[in-house]
Amino acid sequence: MQNTATPTHCPYCALQCGMNLTPAADGTVEVTERADFPVNRGALCGKGRTAPAVLSSRVRLTSPLVRSGDGTLVPATWDEALDRIARHLARTREEHGADALGVFGGGGLTNEKAYALGKFARVVLGTSQIDYNGRFCMSSAAAAGTKAFGLDRGLPFPLEDIPRTGCVILVGSNLAETMPPSLRFFSELKENGGTLIVVDPRRTKTAEQADLHLAPRPGTDLALALGLLHLVVAGGRVDESYVEERTAGWEEARAAAMAHWPEQVERITGVSVPELREAVRLFCEPEHAMVLTARGPEQQAKGTDTVGAWINLCLATGRAGRPLSGYGCLTGQGNGQGGREHGQKADQLPGYRKLTDPAARRHVAEVWGVDPDSLPGPGRSAYELLDALGTDIRSLLLMGSNPVVSAPRAAHVEQRLRSLDFLAVCDVVLSETAALADVVLPVTQWAEETGTTTSLEGRVLLRRRAITPPDGVRSDLEVLHELAARLGVEKGFPTEAEEVFEELRRASAGGLADYSGITYRRLAQENGVFWPCPAREEAGEAEHPGTARLFLDRFATEDGRARFVPVSHRPSAEEPDDEYPVLLTTGRVVAQYQSGAQTRRVDELNAAAPGPFVELHPRLAARLGAAEGDPVAVVSRRGRAVAPARITTGIRPDTVFMPFHWPGEGRANTLTNPALDPTSRMPEFKVCAVRVEAVTR
Ligand SMILES: Nc1nc2c(c(=O)[nH]1)N[C@H]1C(S)=C(S)[C@@H](COP(=O)(O)OP(=O)(O)OC[C@H]3O[C@@H](n4cnc5c(=O)[nH]c(N)nc54)[C@H](O)[C@@H]3O)O[C@H]1N2
Ligand SMILES: Nc1nc2c(c(=O)[nH]1)N[C@H]1C(S)=C(S)[C@@H](COP(=O)(O)OP(=O)(O)OC[C@H]3O[C@@H](n4cnc5c(=O)[nH]c(N)nc54)[C@H](O)[C@@H]3O)O[C@H]1N2
Ligand code: SF4
Ligand SMILES: [Mo]
């Protein structure tokens, strides 16, 4: 084989760093620098650099597995495994109805897979019960963005705008660990004289870069944003003409903010009034400024209102829909953006259309060649779906998620999964969730297949096949094709990604996320195309260039105005009390990815981040009598987890932090609270009440 480099993108996070892959003579594949991709300019974090290790057949699945009579998983042929899945799904549907079938997808799946999975659920299974792990990710920001701007795209501008703005408030993002190559944009911002404000209860690697670090008590970002808006109004810093021309709803939002006095906000958040004033000064003085949120403020049972309050701050100061200013959400998974646009979400049809909209149903049903009335309505959100397993939902097909580790109240979710009549999982490795399945199908992954993803910038990218997959694996698209055929739908599930994308283009045409002007040919030539990009098929018309910057002329609402939301602070679903006096928050470390299913199989990453830990302040550690590395138990109303203490002054004394990448005794999600945001249905991963105990061993 010729050793030519194939340009492609990283399998992990939403930055979708460009990289070149070159197959080596020994069958392995080498990652080399791809300097032409402007987002990372060749830089990669350790996860991206070591991603080929997960292609090795030593760590992955290369044969279908089926549950045998003695309860163990044993190898089977593809036909046996597929037949078994089709048989069980058909039986469940016959005995309990179509809504007893569940489908769970992932934001790591390509656009083509996410599209095909949504279509499979609605057209082949006829079930409304489909949702995906993106619900646990950026759904609160998506809901708030849709309310305010009429459209949700993670960043409404490219990352390259960041160095040229005047101030960025980064709320609950630890991008120095979660998207390391993106740190460059913030360093350049500072070199250009701009300032960075980081809002995080912990002094993270990202917070260390900040000109001002605000460390609120977890779950109080809503009050913090309201307090800042109060000071903006009190200081006469409202951009009155912008508010008049480009927004609606200011009076109610203003009144709500004025009810939040700075001293009261200081008491709720622990951020002092002088710090609040300094933040307002840094944010308001320059001509341009941005607010970017990530999971910190979003993964709360009031995440939608919280993001709404930060958007209000942008709107009141005229910092949205103008060059070098705006609100953005740092989407998380590789295809976290595209994965939420094309129909694997419970209430959604492709093109970011609503399943409840009759015109959207007609359009998509026509592309699919089905009767619009045959399409089911909206289903349950991710946690509610997992909670209904074994009761309302009897059989589940899961693709691209590992909820045994990543879902809130994970011991309960694990027990729900075990109580199913039938579970089928498609994965590249035997994840903790796949290990519970009745049938496991081994699938191809990034370097072995072609497909598109949409990065956090709304940039649609082409991932190219660089190597031949091992014998024994098939692609997710082939799986859906084969299952559809076995369930009586012979057509409409092509196995070639480009063919699926061609249909996705038509299905998305005219929708908010319009991909109809994007083709594989263009993606192969350009460094991605930003949506919306409508087709211009009229003779002689030039191709639509794509939309790097949104809202510059108008917002995507009916009247073109952005909407303020009148929001007020409220406590977290679970506040500390005598029995559970400490706050737990959760998140990530640089060397592990998500549930760890992939990265825990890479030696170099395990050496850097070998296992779970509990980050706590020296004062709390002293009270427990715990020294660095001693096991400590963290107990919540959901359960108990044990992990070594990591003592640092970089965390508030009232708060402990655990990363969520590991199963077993140190699983953070044993503890987390599945209280849901009323709009986005996001679980409260970032705040729950716990007790911390010393463990004697
Ligand atoms: N290394 C690595 N990188 C990743 C991932 C990974 O698993 N590992 N996952 C990818 C995905 S899917 C996502 S969604 C992104 C997530 O990227 P981030 O949002 O950056 O990651 P988190 O660590 O979950 O949370 C960010 C910060 O929120 C803080 N925080 C906790 N509670 C609160 C609060 O109440 N308010 C505020 N303001 N902050 C709070 C935490 O201390 C943490 O430092 O990362 C992506 N990149
Ligand atoms: N406590 C706590 N919990 C959290 C969070 C938190 O901050 N705190 N964050 C939440 C967030 S933001 C997210 S995004 C979720 C993520 O959590 P999960 O949904 O569990 O995400 P992954 O670990 O990425 O799981 C993806 C699975 O799909 C497999 N896979 C990879 N590529 C493919 C493919 O192409 N096809 C198929 N079929 N499978 C594939 C991987 O091997 C892996 O098993 O976790 C959430 N859980
Ligand atoms: S930052 Fe994200 S996309 Fe870039 S190499 Fe690391 S994991 Fe991959
Ligand atoms: Mo995420």
Side-chain angles (χ1 to χ4, degrees):
M1 184 190 278
Q2 228 185 341
N3 280 7
T4 46
T6 306
T8 190
H9 296 272
C10 175
Y12 299 124
C13 87
L15 206 56
Q16 284 298 284
C17 293
M19 56 169 65
N20 283 322
L21 293 180
T22 312
D26 62 357
T28 60
V29 54
E30 199 193 350
V31 171
T32 51
E33 186 169 296
R34 180 180 166 195
D36 70 310
F37 187 62
V39 174
N40 62 309
R41 293 191 207 149
L44 297 170
C45 79
K47 297 184 296 303
R49 200 168 29 75
T50 58
V54 189
L55 297 166
S56 156
S57 52
R58 277 187 300 117
V59 300
R60 70 189 293 187
L61 296 164
T62 52
S63 162
L65 302 172
V66 298
R67 188 76 53 193
S68 71
D70 67 4
T72 55
L73 281 171
V74 295
T77 66
W78 269 93
D79 276 335
E80 276 175 82
L82 289 163
D83 286 346
R84 196 185 288 204
I85 298 176
R87 204 166 58 236
H88 277 276
L89 296 180
R91 189 187 302 160
T92 296
R93 186 166 58 182
E94 219 166 277
E95 289 175 0
H96 303 281
D99 275 355
L101 298 173
V103 177
F104 200 89
L109 301 176
T110 59
N111 289 316
E112 292 79 0
K113 294 178 184 189
Y115 172 86
L117 191 64
K119 180 178 178 186
F120 179 83
R122 273 94 182 210
V123 173
V124 179
L125 303 180
T127 182
S128 66
Q129 300 301 307
I130 173 169
D131 211 49
Y132 79 122
N133 68 5
R135 184 73 72 167
F136 297 159
C137 189
M138 56 338 100
S139 60
S140 295
T146 301
K147 269 193 201 178
F149 307 128
L151 178 75
D152 148 51
R153 193 183 86 185
L155 296 179
F157 42 73
L159 287 162
E160 67 184 46
D161 284 1
I162 289 172
R164 293 184 295 138
T165 190
C167 173
V168 177
I169 309 184
L170 206 47
V171 193
S173 159
N174 185 13
L175 51 77
E177 297 215 44
T178 54
M179 302 184 174
S182 74
L183 202 55
R184 166 172 67 86
F185 297 101
F186 298 87
S187 315
E188 287 173 14
L189 165 75
K190 295 205 312 177
E191 284 162 24
N192 293 344
T195 53
L196 176 64
I197 302 175
V198 170
V199 182
D200 196 306
R202 302 187 300 138
R203 193 175 66 238
T204 59
K205 287 207 174 78
T206 312
E208 277 167 12
Q209 306 294 317
D211 298 281
L212 177 64
H213 172 208
L214 308 178
R217 193 169 170 270
T220 63
D221 302 81
L222 178 49
L224 184 71
L226 285 160
L228 297 178
L229 184 54
H230 182 114
L231 287 170
V232 164
V233 177
R237 296 181 186 270
V238 175
D239 186 337
E240 304 282 356
S241 59
Y242 173 93
V243 168
E244 170 70 31
E245 282 160 31
R246 300 210 52 191
T247 71
W250 169 230
E251 275 315 312
E252 294 81 352
R254 179 182 177 281
M258 293 324 279
H260 292 75
W261 287 91
E263 292 71 18
Q264 181 195 358
V265 169
E266 175 178 309
R267 269 198 310 280
I268 297 171
T269 62
V271 177
S272 72
V273 175
E275 286 174 309
L276 295 172
R277 289 190 192 286
E278 178 63 359
V280 167
R281 188 184 71 78
L282 292 176
F283 185 66
C284 291
E285 279 184 357
E287 192 182 346
H288 312 291
M290 296 172 176
V291 172
L292 304 179
T293 65
R295 302 307 82 77
E298 298 170 16
Q299 289 175 327
Q300 301 184 14
K302 52 177 178 292
T304 306
D305 282 358
T306 300
V307 173
W310 286 99
I311 294 177
N312 285 351
L313 180 70
C314 291
L315 294 177
T317 51
R319 295 170 180 313
R322 279 178 168 173
L324 305 179
S325 281
Y327 162 77
C329 151
L330 298 159
T331 294
Q333 299 179 82
N335 195 30
Q337 183 63 49
R340 73 195 196 232
E341 299 164 1
H342 299 298
Q344 60 176 332
K345 200 166 165 230
D347 55 355
Q348 218 179 52
L349 287 170
Y352 222 127
R353 288 185 157 94
K354 282 207 180 72
L355 199 43
T356 47
D357 171 4
R361 294 170 69 89
R362 273 197 306 277
H363 173 84
V364 175
E366 196 188 325
V367 175
W368 288 352
V370 299
D371 177 356
D373 292 337
S374 73
L375 297 177
R380 290 178 176 83
S381 76
Y383 178 75
E384 293 165 293
L385 191 157
L386 295 171
D387 190 37
L389 300 182
T391 53
D392 291 352
I393 299 174
R394 316 292 318 181
S395 292
L396 181 73
L397 172 66
L398 184 140
M399 199 177 258
S401 181
N402 185 14
V404 167
V405 178
S406 59
R409 196 187 173 198
H412 171 73
V413 166
E414 182 172 343
Q415 183 237 327
R416 294 288 87 216
L417 283 159
R418 288 180 191 278
S419 72
L420 280 165
D421 295 347
F422 184 76
L423 173 63
V425 173
C426 303
D427 207 311
V428 298
V429 294
L430 191 67
S431 72
E432 287 71 20
T433 306
L436 303 181
D438 299 290
V439 179
V440 184
L441 298 179
V443 291
T444 51
Q445 42 176 327
W446 60 294
E448 300 158 353
E449 54 185 24
T450 297
T452 62
T453 60
T454 306
S455 79
L456 79 172
E457 298 178 294
R459 193 195 286 259
V460 184
L461 300 163
L462 185 62
R463 277 199 200 149
R464 294 178 181 83
R465 176 171 159 139
I467 56 165
T468 311
D471 288 341
V473 304
R474 296 193 188 175
S475 76
D476 291 299
L477 293 177
E478 280 176 83
V479 168
L480 294 175
H481 172 87
E482 292 291 333
L483 290 177
R486 281 169 172 75
L487 290 162
V489 180
E490 300 284 345
K491 283 205 185 113
F493 290 88
T495 56
E496 283 303 317
E498 187 168 3
E499 222 178 302
V500 179
F501 190 79
E502 286 299 310
E503 187 181 304
L504 182 159
R505 290 176 60 201
R506 284 188 285 126
S508 76
L512 286 170
D514 191 333
Y515 282 37
S516 60
I518 306 175
T519 58
Y520 271 34
R521 178 188 52 77
R522 278 186 76 173
L523 294 177
Q525 289 163 0
E526 302 171 34
N527 263 329
V529 178
F530 292 83
W531 71 257
C533 181
R536 285 184 180 161
E537 277 158 5
E538 303 305 317
E541 244 187 317
E543 279 173 336
H544 189 289
T547 314
R549 295 173 182 83
L550 291 167
F551 313 139
L552 293 181
D553 303 323
R554 64 193 308 278
F555 294 98
T557 52
E558 242 166 58
D559 59 8
R561 288 167 177 271
R563 293 279 176 290
F564 280 98
V565 284
V567 289
S568 290
H569 182 68
R570 56 184 187 275
S572 298
E574 203 177 59
E575 288 286 340
D577 55 20
D578 290 347
E579 214 181 332
Y580 300 99
V582 174
L583 288 165
L584 167 72
T585 192
T586 60
R588 296 161 163 80
V589 298
V590 65
Q592 296 289 351
Y593 189 69
Q594 313 274 64
S595 73
Q598 291 154 285
T599 49
R600 281 187 279 109
R601 287 171 169 82
V602 182
D603 295 342
E604 183 183 328
L605 299 177
N606 285 334
F613 57 86
V614 180
E615 198 175 282
L616 75 173
H617 192 273
R619 249 189 276 159
L620 179 54
R623 261 210 318 270
L624 303 174
E628 179 75 13
D630 283 356
V632 292
V634 183
V635 186
S636 81
R637 288 182 177 84
R638 271 73 50 198
R640 174 188 164 96
V642 179
R646 192 175 280 186
I647 302 171
T648 167
T649 53
I651 189 165
R652 296 172 52 95
D654 59 4
T655 302
V656 295
F657 168 85
M658 290 180 77
F660 79 98
H661 309 293
W662 290 273
E665 196 186 35
R667 178 174 65 183
N669 276 319
T670 302
L671 306 166
T672 48
N673 185 3
L676 302 182
D677 179 283
T679 309
S680 66
R681 318 306 283 166
M682 164 71 86
E684 193 142 72
F685 286 118
K686 287 294 189 264
V687 209
C688 73
V690 296
R691 176 169 78 232
V692 188
E693 295 167 350
V695 176
T696 39
R697 279 194 170 151

